Amino acid sequence: LSNWENRDVVIEFLTRGTYRVKPPFKRKPDERYDFAVWSNPYIAMDDQWSNGVNLILISIDTVRADHVSCYGYEKETTPHLDALAQDSILFEQAITPAPWTLPAHASLFTGLTPSQHGVQNFHQTLSDAALTLAEVLRKESFLTMGVASFEYLFPDFGLAQGFDRYYFQYPLRAEKVVEKAVDMLDDANGKRFFMFLHFFDPHDPYSPPAPYDTVFAPSEGAVKVGKEHRCPVKNFIGQGRRPTDFDIEAAISLYDGEIRFVDEQLSFLFEKLKAIGIWSNTMVIVTSDHGEEFWDHGSLSHGFRLFEEQIHVPLIVKLPHFRDAGVRIARQVGLIDIMPTVLSELEIQADLGGQGRSLLIQPDTGPSFDDFYISETAAHGMKRLCLRSEILKYISPNCYNYKGLSFRSNELLYDLRNDPNETESLIGPEPDLARSLRRQAFEEMFALKSPGWRILFSTERPQAKFSGRIETDGRLKNLYSLACLDEKLDHDKHEIAFSKTIKSYESFFNFQVEPWDATLQIEIEIDDNSSCLERISVFPGGEHPATNPFQASAKDIELDIDALLDALDGRGEETGALVFYIPGEGEECIARSVGSIEIDERRREALRALGYMR
C-alpha cells in the first residue's frame, strides 16, 4: 500500500460463491449458501514483529510436572524443554485449577477459576461475556492465531473467542500442530502476534510413533508392552481389572514416549522462530492443563481427584530477550496467573475480575501456610475442591454415585513438606485445622461469601429427578446453574422453571433477588412427586416446609453457618434439596451464566473412548 501513501483510496474485495464442479465430482451449485463473509481485517507492517513482543502460549495436554526431566524426572523426556528452561523462568509449584481439559483451559484463557467462569461440566460452554486473553490482545492489534487438537478446544465450547485464525482438528498429532503453526507464521507477514498451540498427544490413548513407543519401554523377559497399555482406563478400570506393577510401568513408558515426541516436535517450532529472527523478542509460555495418575493413589487417568499427580503441572516462561534466564521459582503459582502475567509484561490494562496475579511482580518469599490456590472438579460425579498452599493441602469430602455404585470420598489433609506423596492424612490428628479448612472450602464451593439464594440438589441413588418452579414479585438476577447432563431451564426476571435429572453428581442454583427481601414461592418435586417435604430442608434451621409450594424470604434471616456447614458436609447421604440464603451486602457473584451445547452420539462416543464418560 506504500504507493498510495497520503492518498484516499477505496479497496474493493470481490467474492465468488458456489460454482459448478467439473466431472468426475459432478457437484451441482447450491445457491442457498452462495455468499462469503469478510471478517477481522488487519494491516500488516513489515517491522512489527521485529520491534514488538510476540507471545506463544503452548499447552501440552496431560503432563504431570514430575515426568518432565527439568523438574527432576530420571528419564530424559524433555531435552528441548530443558534447554528452553535454561533461557526461561521455571516455576516449580504450578497448580491447575481443574484436573481435566475443558475447565482448565477456560481458566488459562480467562484467569478465572472454574467456579468463577462457570465451565464445570462436559456440556458447558464458556459464556460470550467472558473476557479471554485472545480478545484482549486482538483489541491491542495483535494477530491472534490458534491450533487446537482436541474436542474440548473446538469453538463449540467457547474457547475460540478472540482468535483471528483458529484451526482445530481431532485427532491432530504433534507434528501437524507444528506444521500448522509454521504455516500461520509464514502467513503473518510480520504482524505482531499471539499464538496458542495445544498438543493432545500425551493424553490417553498413549500411541507414540516409532521410535518413541519403545525408547522408555521396560524389559521384563518375554513380557512386552501391549495394546491394553495404550488405553489403561478402558482395559483395566473399565474391565474391573487391577493393573500389575508391569502394567503400570508399561503404560508409563508409552506416556513418557508421547511427552518425548511432543518435545521433539517443539524443537522444530523453536528453530523456525530463530530462523526468522524473532526468537529473542518472543515470549514463550509452556504448561499443561492437568496431570495423570498411574495408580499413585489406586486409580488411573484424571478428572476424578485432586492429588498432586493430577494438579501439579509444569510451567516454563521465556521472557523477551531472555530476561531472568535460568531462574527457578519455588513459590506456588497457578494457571490463573498466566493471563495477568502476560498483560503485565505487555503493559496492557484489563479488568479481569479474577484471583490471578502477575508472576513477575510477586516476591519469592519463604513457604506459606495460608496462601491457598484452588483446584476443583465437578465432573464424573465429583463436586470436590482442594485448597493448596506450599505447605498444607486440604481436599473436601463428597459422596459419589454412579450407576448404583456409591462410595464416599473422605476429606483429606496433608503436610506437603513432610509428605509430598500424600500418603498420611492429618484429618484425625488435626480436627480443628480440618474444620477451619472445610469451612473455607465450602465457602468457595458454594460462594458463601456472596449474598443470595442457593438451592442444592443431591442424591444417593443411581438417578433422581428434581423439577419445579421459583417465582417472585421482585426481580431475579445473577442466576447461575451447575448444570447436569439432563437439564431443562427456563427463566426470566420473575420466574425460574427447571427440571434436573441427577445421575452421578449434585447440582445447584445460585441467584439473587431485588429487593433482597422479596418473597419467593418455591415448588420442588422429586421424581414428579410433590409429597417430598421431608426431603426439603430450608435454612437457617434446616426445617422442612409445611406445604409445597412454600414461601421463603430473606427478611430477618440470621444464618447458622455451623449448621449449614454440617448439612453441606452430609449432602449426598440421601436424596433431597437444601434451600438457604446468604445475607450481607458483599460483592455480587462473579460466576457467569453459561450456555449448554448438545452432546450428540458422536461426541458421546468420543468422550467414552477417552474415559470421560461411560
Side-chain angles (χ1 to χ4, degrees), residues 407-431:
F407 63 88
R408 187 171 182 81
S409 297
N410 297 325
E411 65 177 344
L412 301 165
L413 176 62
Y414 297 107
D415 177 356
L416 295 178
R417 290 176 306 176
N418 300 310
D419 185 20
N421 295 322
E422 301 167 292
T423 60
E424 183 177 352
S425 176
L426 300 178
I427 290 294
E430 299 288 349

Side-chain angles (χ1 to χ4, degrees), residues 544-561:
H544 303 306
T547 61
N548 200 2
F550 59 93
Q551 289 190 340
S553 174
K555 189 175 182 179
D556 300 324
I557 279 184
E558 295 182 5
L559 182 62
D560 184 343
I561 189 66

Side-chain angles (χ1 to χ4, degrees), residues 94-169:
I95 304 303
T96 179
W100 62 288
T101 303
L102 178 57
H105 278 93
S107 293
L108 179 65
F109 286 173
T110 63
L112 304 175
T113 64
S115 292
Q116 292 174 315
H117 59 60
V119 182
Q120 295 181 282
N121 268 303
F122 307 112
H123 56 305
Q124 291 180 296
T125 181
L126 186 65
S127 168
D128 288 340
L131 182 66
T132 68
L133 178 60
E135 288 177 308
V136 173
L137 295 183
R138 185 166 71 179
K139 189 175 181 181
E140 296 293 324
S141 298
F142 281 74
L143 174 62
T144 55
M145 305 176 286
V147 183
S149 58
F150 181 47
E151 238 176 335
Y152 282 139
L153 277 297
F154 286 6
D156 299 31
F157 291 95
L159 300 184
Q161 297 177 41
F163 283 97
D164 295 306
R165 296 186 60 187
Y166 193 82
Y167 182 88
F168 56 91
Q169 181 178 324

Side-chain angles (χ1 to χ4, degrees), residues 399-402 406 456-466 501-507 526-527 535 571-577:
C399 187
Y400 171 64
N401 168 51
Y402 182 76
S406 298
L456 173 65
F457 310 96
S458 57
T459 180
E460 91 288 1
R461 296 191 271 108
Q463 179 171 301
K465 179 183 177 182
F466 295 86
T501 300
I502 301 175
K503 299 179 181 180
S504 62
Y505 53 90
E506 62 198 2
S507 184
I526 302 178
D527 295 328
R535 295 183 179 273
R571 71 196 192 281
E573 294 180 351
E574 63 178 22
T575 299

Side-chain angles (χ1 to χ4, degrees), residues 489-529:
L489 180 64
D490 296 311
H491 62 92
D492 56 29
K493 293 181 179 180
H494 306 288
E495 181 178 336
I496 304 170
F498 66 91
S499 175
K500 292 173 173 279
T501 300
I502 301 175
K503 299 179 181 180
S504 62
Y505 53 90
E506 62 198 2
S507 184
F508 58 81
F509 288 133
N510 294 354
F511 61 91
Q512 294 175 314
V513 182
E514 285 186 344
W516 67 273
D517 57 351
T519 299
L520 299 178
Q521 179 161 290
I522 302 174
E523 179 182 12
I524 298 176
E525 295 185 351
I526 302 178
D527 295 328
D528 297 320
N529 183 3

Side-chain angles (χ1 to χ4, degrees), residues 49 56-58 143 145-148 165 167 172-188 193-199 265-266 268-270 272-273 276 278:
W49 69 10
I56 298 180
L57 174 58
I58 297 170
L143 174 62
M145 305 176 286
V147 183
R165 296 186 60 187
Y167 182 88
L172 190 66
R173 295 202 66 95
E175 74 274 15
K176 293 297 183 181
V177 174
V178 170
E179 181 181 305
K180 290 295 179 182
V182 169
D183 288 344
M184 288 184 177
L185 287 173
D186 289 339
D187 292 341
F193 69 88
F194 160 52
M195 176 178 285
F196 167 72
L197 302 178
H198 174 254
F199 295 86
Q265 302 311 307
L266 281 174
F268 300 126
L269 174 65
F270 298 159
K272 172 68 175 181
L273 296 171
I276 59 180
I278 61 172

Side-chain angles (χ1 to χ4, degrees), residues 17-320:
T18 308
Y19 56 92
R20 188 178 301 277
V21 177
K22 296 180 179 179
F25 302 103
K26 299 180 180 179
R27 184 166 66 87
K28 295 182 179 180
D30 187 343
E31 295 181 356
R32 293 176 302 168
Y33 307 108
D34 195 5
F35 63 89
V37 176
W38 293 96
S39 67
N40 300 328
Y42 66 89
I43 297 176
M45 301 179 69
D46 291 341
D47 60 351
Q48 280 194 323
W49 69 10
S50 61
N51 294 331
V53 174
N54 305 299
L55 170 66
I56 298 180
L57 174 58
I58 297 170
S59 172
I60 310 174
D61 212 291
T62 324
V63 176
R64 49 191 282 178
D66 61 358
H67 278 245
V68 177
S69 45
C70 55
Y71 278 79
Y73 193 39
E74 65 274 11
K75 301 176 185 177
E76 193 180 25
T77 52
T78 55
H80 300 289
L81 287 183
D82 298 352
L84 175 68
Q86 294 177 7
D87 291 335
S88 309
I89 305 173
L90 184 146
F91 293 88
E92 296 177 350
Q93 292 192 73
I95 304 303
T96 179
W100 62 288
T101 303
L102 178 57
H105 278 93
S107 293
L108 179 65
F109 286 173
T110 63
L112 304 175
T113 64
S115 292
Q116 292 174 315
H117 59 60
V119 182
Q120 295 181 282
N121 268 303
F122 307 112
H123 56 305
Q124 291 180 296
T125 181
L126 186 65
S127 168
D128 288 340
L131 182 66
T132 68
L133 178 60
E135 288 177 308
V136 173
L137 295 183
R138 185 166 71 179
K139 189 175 181 181
E140 296 293 324
S141 298
F142 281 74
L143 174 62
T144 55
M145 305 176 286
V147 183
S149 58
F150 181 47
E151 238 176 335
Y152 282 139
L153 277 297
F154 286 6
D156 299 31
F157 291 95
L159 300 184
Q161 297 177 41
F163 283 97
D164 295 306
R165 296 186 60 187
Y166 193 82
Y167 182 88
F168 56 91
Q169 181 178 324
Y170 172 71
L172 190 66
R173 295 202 66 95
E175 74 274 15
K176 293 297 183 181
V177 174
V178 170
E179 181 181 305
K180 290 295 179 182
V182 169
D183 288 344
M184 288 184 177
L185 287 173
D186 289 339
D187 292 341
N189 294 321
K191 175 75 173 176
R192 193 180 187 193
F193 69 88
F194 160 52
M195 176 178 285
F196 167 72
L197 302 178
H198 174 254
F199 295 86
F200 188 66
D201 302 68
H203 194 290
D204 175 357
Y206 317 125
S207 302
Y212 305 97
D213 56 341
T214 58
V215 67
F216 300 116
S219 57
E220 189 172 307
V223 182
K224 294 183 178 180
V225 177
K227 291 183 179 180
E228 68 272 17
H229 302 122
R230 299 180 183 273
C231 299
V233 175
K234 176 181 178 181
N235 292 303
F236 293 100
I237 300 296
Q239 301 297 325
R241 301 164 54 199
R242 190 202 186 288
T244 65
D245 290 345
F246 176 80
D247 292 327
I248 298 300
E249 188 180 359
I252 289 175
S253 74
L254 294 172
Y255 169 75
D256 289 343
E258 292 277 30
I259 297 174
R260 179 63 180 267
F261 172 60
V262 173
D263 179 83
E264 186 70 24
Q265 302 311 307
L266 281 174
S267 70
F268 300 126
L269 174 65
F270 298 159
E271 289 302 318
K272 172 68 175 181
L273 296 171
K274 295 172 184 177
I276 59 180
I278 61 172
W279 176 246
S280 176
N281 65 313
T282 296
M283 185 177 183
V284 179
I285 301 176
V286 180
T287 189
S288 181
D289 52 351
H290 57 79
E292 187 84 323
E293 182 176 352
F294 290 101
W295 216 254
D296 304 70
H297 290 89
S299 188
L300 298 167
S301 192
H302 57 269
F304 292 83
R305 302 192 290 178
L306 298 166
F307 293 111
E308 290 294 280
E309 56 269 15
Q310 295 198 34
I311 70 169
H312 182 200
V313 295
L315 176 57
I316 300 170
V317 178
K318 186 187 84 64
L319 296 176

